[in-house]
Amino acid sequence: MQSRRLPDRGTIRWLAAATVVGVAIIGLCVASWLVAAERGRVRLSSELQDRLTVSLRSVQTEIERFRYLPAVISQDPRVTSLLAKPSDVAPVNAYLQNIRAMSGVDEVYVLDTTGLTLAASNWNEPGSFVGNRYDFRPYFSDAMTTGEGRYYAVGVTTGKPGYFLSSIVGDVTRPLGVVVAKVDMAPLAETWSRAGELTAIADSAGVVFLSGASDWHYRPLYPLDEEAVAEIAAEQRYNAIEVAGRPPIGNRFGPEGAGQIIENGQPMMAAQIAIEPDGWTLVSALPMQRINDEAQLTAGLVALASLLALAVMLFVRQRGQMARLRMRQNAELEQRVVERTAALAHEVEVRAHAETVLRETQDSLIHAARLAALGRMSAAIVHEVSQPLSALDSLVAAAGLHAQRSAPSEVQRTLASARALLGRMQRMVKHLKTFSSRQDPAPFEPVDCKSVIEEAMAIVEPRARERSVRLTFSPGRGLPDIAGNSIRIEQAIVNLLTNAIDATSLAGGDVVAITTGHDENSVVLRIIDRGAGISDQVRQRMFDPFFTTKATGEGLGLGLAITQLILEEGAGSLVFEAAPEGGTIATVTLPAYVADRARVPA
């Protein structure tokens, strides 16, 4: 029977140290997770408070701009005369209609002391308030007893929700009636909805009546008690809408106005603030998932840093062990120096050779990486400068011919064009930095679309003549300026024209047509070639850098990639489709320039 071998003391120490280190790393990760989560909650709470402050100002502003209206209307002699002695109501109806049109209020109407509507801005419309009694509404009773009232409810006549502001006509000792203005607060909810904000307003009972989330409407923040349900029913606050049976949004909030709710299975941090004097509650919520994500990322980074530090420590320790081992080996070698001299010399030689080879290999790899980066940069420069160089060669040749004919004016004009092309090449090379580093391009400027197209046609004209291809241009009438950078847009058009000329020439065609059009927001440029079209395989890869269907040496495969980048930076687009008569239509859409419009980021 074999005896079981117990681990030696060194192994036990190593296991104990590994356990301690593992526990320490886990504890550090947990602590960093907790700290990051707490910081995230504090930051999210601050963001919620900022959002609540902005929303509160918006609500107060929306209400305050109509606050004065009922009191002003109550002073009008036509209103007081109607309430004192009901007679001809037509002038008051017309007056209320004018008030609605000029102020933007939803509706305005006049009640007598019994709550009966005598005149209204919608007197001649379906769902008119005239003849209806609203004495059960708190805004009527509050105005009769205190002089003014304010109340949010769903209209029992129209079914539309609104905020009712009321003011007494006369005074509380001798009331003549009440003037009511109904304010539509739906634009606030639409603004929150468009911004994607989970923001809502709840009444004094906790029922949400205005929200950017449609599924929050008429749901209580927390379960309603019987007294609140009875009060809502007595006031017909939400007409026929049953709010008591709807599921509450969350539990009651804490004493500092913060809490947590579950929305679509996702935990969210919520905060609230009171809106006085209505007793309303403004609520806003933000998802907590990003807090957990940031905390997990922080814990992961701490774990990675800890493991890296541990690896460095192990490496240093291993180096120390290797040094000590080498010292022992040297001592042994000194004892056997005579018999091992030849073997040691050979070993040193092999090791030195291996280190030399390794060093040379590393240097070669670094050099190859540098050459690859330089090759990519050189390929882009050659591609972007080759077309202006062709045009420059033609201009220099033309200058020579003009000089032989003793035509100095033509020589000056030709040399001026050549210098312009050189300037364009310098600007083009400067733009390559933007393409490689993804920096923001120059600010938007108004660009004459017709001039840019004609300049691009001038650059590719020599290539078109060489390929026996004729360029036609049909500019649309009244083209607006486009927003962008003229050099970059010209560069994109040159790339598309070059591809169209080559495709048309290979297919035996002779015409490349250029047309333009526009609407109020954009300018559309179409380049129609007579080539063989684009296959499905090529269409899937046509925008990949360095992909080309041309013969070796004919293209670098960067044209469409650079063109797409230029158009995307200018909020434009590029679409290829088959032409009805064969060939391809390249459709470029660019935004029209508007002086006060901010630049759209890429």
Side-chain angles (χ1 to χ4, degrees):
M1 179 177 180
Q2 291 182 341
S3 61
R4 186 175 181 181
R5 185 178 179 181
L6 297 176
D8 56 18
R9 184 175 298 176
T11 303
I12 294 175
R13 285 201 301 267
W14 186 89
L15 291 175
T19 302
V20 171
V21 171
V23 171
I25 292 176
I26 293 174
L28 187 61
C29 292
V30 171
S32 62
W33 188 93
L34 293 174
V35 171
E38 181 61 26
R39 288 181 177 178
R41 281 191 288 269
V42 171
R43 185 173 62 255
L44 197 64
S45 177
S46 176
E47 186 176 343
L48 274 174
Q49 292 302 323
D50 293 342
R51 178 180 291 185
L52 285 173
T53 301
V54 173
S55 299
L56 178 61
R57 295 300 183 193
S58 300
V59 173
Q60 291 174 338
T61 301
E62 185 70 16
I63 294 174
E64 289 301 327
R65 64 190 186 108
F66 296 109
R67 176 75 65 199
Y68 69 92
L69 195 59
V72 171
I73 297 174
S74 67
Q75 302 299 318
D76 191 273
R78 288 166 288 191
V79 175
T80 55
S81 297
L82 176 66
L83 292 173
K85 186 178 181 181
S87 57
D88 188 8
V89 75
V92 179
N93 285 330
Y95 169 63
L96 297 180
Q97 278 185 324
N98 290 333
I99 290 294
R100 180 181 66 178
M102 289 187 294
S103 66
V105 73
D106 194 29
E107 298 293 349
V108 186
Y109 51 102
V110 178
L111 311 176
D112 64 10
T113 55
T114 65
L116 179 66
T117 305
L118 301 181
S121 57
N122 63 350
W123 64 276
N124 59 345
E125 300 172 6
S128 172
F129 295 163
V130 175
N132 293 314
R133 191 177 299 277
Y134 300 107
D135 55 333
F136 59 90
R137 288 295 200 189
Y139 63 76
F140 174 77
S141 56
D142 290 345
M144 291 292 290
T145 55
T146 65
E148 63 177 17
R150 46 204 287 168
Y151 186 69
Y152 190 95
V154 175
V156 296
T157 304
T158 61
K160 292 172 55 179
Y163 187 50
F164 297 87
L165 302 171
S166 61
S167 179
I168 193 170
V169 182
D171 54 55
V172 294
T173 58
R174 290 187 303 171
L176 298 177
V178 174
V179 175
V180 184
K182 181 181 179 183
V183 180
D184 184 10
M185 299 181 66
L188 279 175
E190 294 175 0
T191 301
W192 295 336
S193 178
R194 286 194 300 270
E197 295 184 7
L198 282 176
T199 303
I201 302 178
D203 62 12
S204 57
V207 177
V208 173
F209 61 81
L210 199 69
S211 172
S214 59
D215 57 347
W216 280 24
H217 282 142
Y218 306 118
R219 286 176 57 188
L221 293 177
Y222 35 78
L224 299 177
D225 53 32
E226 295 181 358
E227 182 179 352
V229 173
E231 181 182 354
I232 292 172
E235 297 174 356
Q236 300 183 36
R237 188 178 303 174
Y238 301 111
N239 201 4
I241 300 175
E242 178 62 36
V243 297
R246 300 199 173 198
I249 295 174
N251 295 325
R252 291 185 180 273
F253 292 90
E256 298 181 357
Q260 182 173 334
I261 61 175
I262 304 297
E263 180 68 16
N264 297 325
Q266 181 181 10
M268 307 192 76
M269 178 180 288
Q272 66 179 9
I273 189 172
I275 303 177
E276 298 298 343
D278 299 279
W280 294 349
T281 302
L282 180 63
V283 181
S284 190
L286 286 172
M288 300 180 64
Q289 182 61 39
R290 60 179 179 177
I291 297 178
N292 297 329
D293 294 342
E294 292 175 1
Q296 291 174 3
L297 178 61
T298 302
L301 292 176
V302 169
L304 184 62
S306 301
L307 292 176
L308 183 60
L310 180 61
V312 171
M313 293 174 59
L314 291 176
F315 175 75
V316 173
R317 182 174 181 274
Q318 186 179 12
R319 288 291 300 271
Q321 291 178 346
M322 291 180 63
R324 290 191 295 271
L325 178 61
R326 188 172 298 173
M327 292 176 62
R328 288 196 299 267
Q329 289 176 347
N330 289 337
E332 294 176 0
L333 287 175
E334 288 177 359
Q335 296 176 1
R336 295 179 294 173
V337 63
V338 177
E339 60 187 40
R340 295 293 304 272
T341 299
L344 182 60
H346 177 70
E347 181 181 353
V348 171
E349 182 180 356
V350 171
R351 182 172 298 180
H353 177 70
E355 290 178 354
T356 302
V357 172
L358 177 60
R359 191 178 301 109
E360 291 177 351
T361 304
Q362 291 175 344
D363 292 341
S364 299
L365 289 175
I366 295 172
H367 184 61
R370 290 176 180 172
L371 288 178
L374 182 59
R376 287 192 295 270
M377 186 182 299
S378 300
I381 295 173
V382 169
H383 180 83
E384 296 303 324
V385 176
S386 60
Q387 294 164 350
L389 280 177
S390 298
L392 182 62
D393 180 64
S394 299
L395 289 172
V396 172
L401 292 176
H402 294 322
Q404 292 176 2
R405 295 200 307 268
S406 299
S409 61
E410 294 296 328
V411 171
Q412 291 295 330
R413 183 182 61 80
T414 307
L415 290 179
S417 300
R419 292 192 64 184
L421 278 176
L422 284 174
R424 181 184 177 278
M425 284 189 289
Q426 291 173 345
R427 294 192 297 272
M428 220 183 289
V429 171
K430 182 179 180 180
H431 290 318
L432 288 175
K433 291 184 179 180
T434 302
F435 174 74
S436 60
S437 63
R438 302 291 295 183
Q439 295 177 348
D440 290 339
F444 274 12
E445 60 183 4
V447 177
D448 185 353
C449 182
K450 182 174 178 292
S451 298
V452 169
I453 295 173
E454 289 174 347
E455 291 174 5
M457 291 174 62
I459 293 175
V460 301
E461 184 66 33
R463 187 180 187 93
R465 286 198 302 270
E466 179 186 357
R467 301 298 177 91
S468 300
V469 175
R470 180 167 52 89
L471 300 177
T472 65
F473 179 32
S474 301
R477 294 184 178 179
L479 281 178
D481 289 343
I482 55 180
N485 182 275
S486 58
I487 297 300
R488 304 205 64 153
I489 296 174
E490 178 183 333
Q491 177 181 342
I493 297 174
V494 166
N495 291 340
L496 294 175
L497 286 176
T498 302
N499 289 343
I501 291 170
D502 293 344
T504 301
S505 175
L506 288 175
D510 60 351
V511 176
V512 171
I514 307 166
T515 64
T516 56
H518 71 281
D519 56 28
E520 61 181 32
N521 296 320
S522 60
V523 176
V524 179
L525 164 66
R526 292 182 176 85
I527 300 175
I528 307 170
D529 64 49
R530 294 293 184 267
I534 304 175
S535 64
D536 293 339
Q537 294 180 346
V538 173
R539 190 180 295 273
Q540 293 176 359
R541 299 187 57 195
M542 61 192 302
F543 291 107
D544 294 346
F546 303 103
F547 172 76
T548 179
T549 59
K550 299 178 181 179
T552 303
E554 289 292 324
L556 297 173
L558 289 173
L560 288 181
I562 293 175
T563 299
Q564 187 184 40
L565 175 66
I566 291 172
L567 296 177
E568 287 179 351
E569 286 178 344
S573 64
L574 172 61
V575 177
F576 288 94
E577 57 185 345
E581 299 178 0
T584 304
I585 301 176
T587 302
V588 177
T589 304
L590 291 167
Y593 181 82
V594 178
D596 58 351
R597 182 172 63 188
R599 179 180 179 274
V600 180

